[in-house]
Amino acid sequence: EIAGLERALARRSGSADLRARLLERYLMRVQFLGRFGDLDRAFALLPEPRESATALDLQSRLDSAVHRFDSALSVLDRAERIA
């Protein structure tokens, strides 16, 4: 499933939905299989600049996954102000 999402994202790089789905799959693989290189892949998926509520939500999920809880909460606060 990850390979298919990676191929789809290569064709439609602007798709926020594909980015979010792939990021979630990377996080699951880190959690269940210990593939920590997927954290780097997940962070690389975050859009720049991170100004939309969706992008900030993704960043918050990643921050939380690597136990940056203060940052995750701060980012969520920013996302709520935008939404």
Side-chain angles (χ1 to χ4, degrees), residues 65-83:
V66 295
H67 297 201
R68 295 181 193 156
F69 300 117
D70 288 339
S71 176
L73 290 172
S74 174
V75 170
L76 278 179
D77 287 342
R78 285 184 12 218
E80 285 180 358
R81 285 193 299 269
I82 291 173

Side-chain angles (χ1 to χ4, degrees), residues 19-36:
R19 284 178 184 275
R21 290 172 47 203
L22 183 55
L23 187 145
E24 289 294 333
R25 298 317 183 278
Y26 283 148
L27 287 179
M28 286 193 312
R29 197 159 69 174
V30 169
Q31 181 180 5
F32 295 112
L33 301 177
R35 302 260 322 249
F36 293 104

Side-chain angles (χ1 to χ4, degrees), residues 3-4 10 12 14 18 27 45 59 61-62 78:
R12 297 186 310 169
L18 283 174
L27 287 179
L45 287 175
Q59 180 181 344
R61 288 187 220 176
L62 284 174
R78 285 184 12 218

